[in-house]
Amino acid sequence: MEFFKDKKKQEVDFVLFTIVMLLLAIGIIMVYSASSYSALYKDKDSMLYLKKQLIFGTLGVISMMIVMKIDYHKYKKWSPWILLGCIPLLLLVFVFPDRNGAQRWIEIGPLTFQPSELTKYAIVLFLSSSVANKGERIKDLKQGLFPYLLVSGFYAGLILAEKNLSIATVIMMVTLIILFVAGAKAKHIFGLVVPALGAAVLALAFSADYRRARMLNFLNPWKDAAGDGYQLVQSFYALGSGKLLGLGLGNSRQKCFYMPEPHNDFIFSIIGEELGFVGAVFVISLFILFIWRGILIAQRAKDTYGTLLAIGITSIIAVQAIINIAVVTGSMPVTGVPLPFISYGGTSLVITMTAMGILLNISKDVK
């Protein structure tokens, strides 16, 4: 346990650390299980995605361990520069060819990098530092609330131009959570901002044919089960087939070219199919415990900056997990939000694990 103490013998939140490692382990196992069939036939290597996820998972753990030792207050002076550095990265994606109509990745040889994954945490770092310095002025609509909404809205707009409505929405939702926790008036947030953003999201959702199709098919995916409703219908088949205890690890049928890319955004449906209702509830319980520990760390933080930073990091994981599981279970329109720690993705995993290092460091500096 000595590794988890700093020079002052303060321990990190070991419960949170355990939860993170459990989610990571489940993710690596499920990525292999969900991808092995398609990887064998398409790439002639059933362990291809397992190898990649193991590499990125290892890099993520190393990054978390290093960052866990760095005083989170040191990010204060760097947060504006990190956020500004995201602008050229977000623009650079337009140099590279699109993937299924979206331009979200910077490609360097066999490696890819998704700047939006870094940007959402960069915004949390910036908002936490700046809002903490704002103090009571955050209650003012023009001087406190709007400037931060404009900043987050600018970056959300850049990400939206990449055809990534889901991450743009996550950024705005997390921004509102941070501002609310910081003391912004509820009547400003829920009376003005939330309705305006809700209307904007709906307008955007119906602004493109594929988004409109997703929105309408969410209401009745069976109407076009072989077209726009196909992925959601296959998710229902997977979850229904799992019943209480599942078909067994590795025994999913939907991953056999029925579910498109089952190791990505719809990996939770494979969890439900192979591990059943019990396995799905266990994963959901881990996310609930994660949120609880994150809120607890925020409450115990010694300063406002630590509180807001912990809330911001926790909110990103919470919002993405809620959206992903809601999509897979047909509770909201289909959108491309990965399940944190579990969905396949190198950029997302390494950056998320790095953010966990920051959260664990905050847990050492408590009241």
Side-chain angles (χ1 to χ4, degrees):
M1 295 292 291
E2 288 298 317
F3 186 84
F4 298 99
K5 296 181 180 180
D6 62 11
K7 294 179 180 178
K8 297 180 181 179
K9 303 299 180 182
Q10 293 174 301
E11 290 191 4
V12 302
D13 190 319
F14 190 71
V15 175
L16 177 68
F17 177 84
T18 303
I19 293 168
V20 169
M21 295 307 292
L22 275 173
L23 285 169
L24 177 63
I26 291 170
I28 291 172
I29 292 169
M30 290 311 303
V31 163
Y32 172 53
S33 180
S35 68
S36 58
Y37 189 89
S38 59
L40 177 63
Y41 283 89
K42 290 181 179 180
D43 303 289
K44 309 304 179 185
D45 183 0
S46 64
M47 301 179 70
L48 177 65
Y49 292 101
L50 171 64
K51 295 172 185 175
K52 291 182 178 180
Q53 198 75 346
L54 275 173
I55 291 171
F56 289 118
T58 302
L59 291 174
V61 171
I62 293 171
S63 179
M64 180 183 72
M65 293 298 191
I66 293 172
V67 172
M68 192 170 70
K69 292 289 185 178
I70 301 172
D71 183 0
Y72 67 91
H73 292 94
K74 293 183 178 180
Y75 302 115
K76 262 190 169 184
K77 64 178 181 179
W78 293 107
S79 58
W81 302 108
I82 295 172
L83 190 58
L84 284 172
C86 290
I87 296 177
L89 293 176
L90 290 171
L91 294 175
L92 189 59
V93 299
F94 296 105
V95 174
F96 299 91
D98 66 273
R99 295 185 184 180
N100 299 320
Q103 292 177 284
R104 305 174 185 177
W105 298 271
I106 295 173
E107 301 178 15
I108 305 173
L111 301 177
T112 60
F113 175 72
Q114 193 169 350
S116 59
E117 292 292 332
L118 174 63
T119 303
K120 62 188 180 186
Y121 287 106
I123 286 175
V124 167
L125 285 170
F126 170 76
L127 288 179
S128 302
S129 175
S130 183
V131 172
N133 294 330
K134 182 75 71 172
E136 290 296 310
R137 289 176 295 164
I138 194 65
K139 295 180 179 180
D140 184 80
L141 184 61
K142 292 183 179 180
Q143 297 183 12
L145 200 61
F146 277 169
Y148 295 115
L149 291 174
L150 288 173
V151 170
S152 294
F154 169 75
Y155 284 90
L158 287 178
I159 292 171
L160 188 61
E162 302 174 359
K163 302 292 179 64
N164 196 345
L165 175 61
S166 52
I167 296 301
T169 303
V170 169
I171 285 173
M172 295 310 298
M173 290 178 68
V174 171
T175 296
L176 290 179
I177 292 171
I178 292 174
L179 293 174
F180 179 73
V181 171
K185 291 183 178 180
K187 66 179 182 180
H188 291 159
I189 292 179
F190 298 105
L192 295 174
V193 179
V194 171
L197 288 177
V201 170
L202 283 175
L204 288 168
F206 284 92
S207 64
D209 290 339
Y210 75 95
R211 289 176 185 155
R212 189 184 306 110
R214 282 184 176 182
M215 181 66 70
L216 297 176
N217 275 282
F218 146 73
L219 300 174
N220 183 14
W222 304 98
K223 184 178 180 180
D224 187 16
D228 291 318
Y230 178 79
Q231 195 167 25
L232 186 54
V233 168
Q234 296 305 313
S235 179
F236 289 159
Y237 283 147
L239 293 170
S241 299
K243 298 182 180 180
L244 182 63
L245 299 176
L247 301 178
L249 188 63
N251 293 329
S252 166
R253 292 188 289 262
Q254 299 309 117
K255 70 182 181 183
C256 301
F257 296 118
Y258 291 102
M259 177 71 71
E261 298 189 10
H263 52 292
N264 285 332
D265 299 340
F266 273 74
I267 195 170
F268 187 77
S269 62
I270 305 302
I271 291 174
E273 185 182 12
E274 295 190 346
L275 305 182
F277 178 78
V278 172
V281 168
F282 179 70
V283 171
I284 292 172
S285 299
L286 287 177
F287 279 111
I288 293 173
L289 288 173
F290 174 90
I291 295 168
W292 166 59
R293 296 308 295 185
I295 293 173
L296 199 62
I297 291 168
Q299 289 177 330
R300 294 175 176 176
K302 286 186 176 180
D303 53 21
T304 304
Y305 173 58
T307 295
L308 297 179
L309 188 54
I311 282 293
I313 293 171
T314 303
S315 295
I316 287 178
I317 302 299
V319 170
Q320 286 198 198
I322 291 169
I323 291 176
N324 179 277
I325 294 171
V327 165
V328 168
T329 55
S331 303
M332 66 176 290
V334 174
T335 184
V337 174
L339 188 59
F341 306 108
I342 296 179
S343 292
Y344 173 75
T347 301
S348 176
L349 186 58
V350 173
I351 293 176
T352 297
M353 292 299 291
T354 303
M356 293 307 101
I358 298 175
L359 187 57
L360 287 168
N361 182 262
I362 298 172
S363 74
K364 294 197 298 184
D365 192 19
V366 296
K367 296 175 184 176

